[in-house]
Amino acid sequence: MIRVGIIGSGFIGPAHIEAIRRLGFVEVVALAENSLDLAQQKARQLNIPHAYGSVADLLNHPGIDAIHNCTPNHLHAAINKQIIQAGKHVFSEKPLCMTSEEARELVALAEEKGVVHGVSFVYRQFGMVQQAASMIKHQEIGRVFAVHGGYLQDWMLRDTDYNWRVEPEYGGVSRAVADIGSHWCDTVQFISGRKIVEVFADLAIVHPIRKSNRNGASTFSSSDAPPEYDDKPVKTEDYATVLLRFEDGSRGSFTVSQVSAGRKNRLTFEVNGSEQSLAWDQETPQQLWIGHRDKPNQVLSDDPGLLNPEAAAAVHFPGGHIEGWPDAFKNMMASFYTYLRDGKQPGVDPCNFATFYDGANIMFIIDAIVQSHQQQTWVKVAN
């Protein structure tokens, strides 16, 4: 049995725990929070036997093999470094860190210590995303020449919507691009097998001033307390459109928004090839649209018997049985922990989960997008 510790129990921590517990060969044995009282409270709620008030105490728990870093963005780099230095395998929430320099340091340290490392880019784990990747890999859609789409949400639509992610010191210099655009970029690089090498970006702040509720509220939750607001200047984008160039010369674009009313979690992509097109929408995740010129278009459902074998492995029930985001999350954990159990090593053995290499690459893309917006020109993505 692989023994795991969790750091952070906000919105995303319980999602990690639920997915891990579905595997059957991994056990969550300990939880750490920023105070012992909070850790003990959360551990009771989540039925975790041990609770700690610091990362250091968690790392000293006997027999822990891997640690999940589910803390806010500004803590990722330091905690990931602490985990690796303790010789533990690490699975980090995204972003991997806050800067490209931190990303390079973490990759080098993980290589030095020989730990297995993963980053929580979950959308590549959907069955129909795996099918799209397989079809492109096997050249079923012909020569790829364009990839486009977006990621739209509405949880920051009003000026009274506020969260720690708005503040650069906690969320980073980019918000919409780093928070959700990062998912889109990872997903399309995964399906296309092509790296984004150059960007031209236009970022927009829709609400220059937001109202922060003094009573606070957790991400994607509401508070019953009557609101009392403080005005806060906003320095991170609500909306962005980015033009892309891929390493093979193909082109693309994407739009991200956290202020699009009615769009809850709409990650979409379309890939145009010389023979066919493919399109997918995360809000209808069991369908892959296949476009043709000379015959009727198709909608492929996630029946394992209809998918390419490598994609069928990501679908666990017969056709018509609904699978979604929690199941993709489980796929991600299964990929990571099977890889760890089998003694494989990132950079040596292939894997289909995102590693620190992928996390660093996304940081380089985010930096290039921010720089492009500031300079209003095309910017190359660092290696």
Side-chain angles (χ1 to χ4, degrees), residues 148-330:
H148 46 96
Y151 198 156
L152 309 180
Q153 299 176 328
D154 69 359
W155 70 288
M156 298 296 286
L157 175 62
R158 300 185 177 90
D159 65 355
T160 52
D161 295 322
Y162 199 83
N163 181 272
W164 58 262
R165 290 171 176 80
V166 172
E167 302 172 22
E169 60 268 35
Y170 297 112
V173 296
S174 167
R175 176 166 33 96
V177 170
D179 189 22
I180 56 178
S182 57
H183 275 299
W184 192 90
C185 291
D186 178 76
T187 303
V188 300
Q189 288 189 130
F190 172 75
I191 61 166
S192 69
R194 295 156 173 82
K195 293 294 186 185
I196 296 167
V197 296
E198 200 168 5
V199 299
F200 195 148
D202 184 31
L203 279 56
I205 297 172
V206 174
H207 295 298
I209 301 292
R210 286 185 178 270
K211 299 180 184 300
S212 172
N213 186 350
R214 295 174 191 170
N215 296 316
S218 300
T219 304
F220 303 120
S221 69
S222 60
S223 172
D224 293 330
E228 297 180 18
Y229 294 115
D230 292 321
D231 286 349
K232 299 280 190 177
V234 176
K235 298 179 181 179
T236 55
E237 77 281 355
D238 299 300
Y239 177 96
T241 297
V242 185
L243 298 177
L244 307 171
R245 290 173 179 162
F246 291 85
E247 60 186 335
D248 65 341
S250 56
R251 299 300 202 265
S253 64
F254 71 92
T255 296
V256 292
S257 170
Q258 295 176 322
V259 289
S260 295
R263 298 302 189 188
K264 302 305 178 185
N265 198 51
R266 191 171 190 251
L267 186 156
T268 60
F269 63 74
E270 181 169 322
V271 183
N272 300 131
S274 58
E275 300 298 327
Q276 299 176 355
S277 293
L278 301 175
W280 183 76
D281 182 342
Q282 194 276 152
E283 292 189 344
T284 54
Q286 295 184 278
Q287 298 179 345
L288 181 68
W289 180 85
I290 305 173
H292 304 281
R293 173 170 169 166
D294 299 320
K295 62 180 182 180
N297 298 330
Q298 299 171 268
V299 177
L300 177 65
S301 66
D302 66 346
D303 185 328
L306 302 176
L307 306 185
N308 293 358
E310 56 200 330
V315 179
H316 305 285
F317 299 97
H321 293 74
I322 302 301
E323 294 185 58
W325 192 88
D327 303 288
F329 223 85
K330 188 199 79 170

Side-chain angles (χ1 to χ4, degrees), residues 24 112 122 125 127 167 184 224 226 245 251 304 336 363 380:
E112 176 189 337
V122 66
Q125 302 293 339
E167 302 172 22
W184 192 90
D224 293 330
R245 290 173 179 162
R251 299 300 202 265
F336 180 80
M363 291 305 306
K380 293 185 183 299

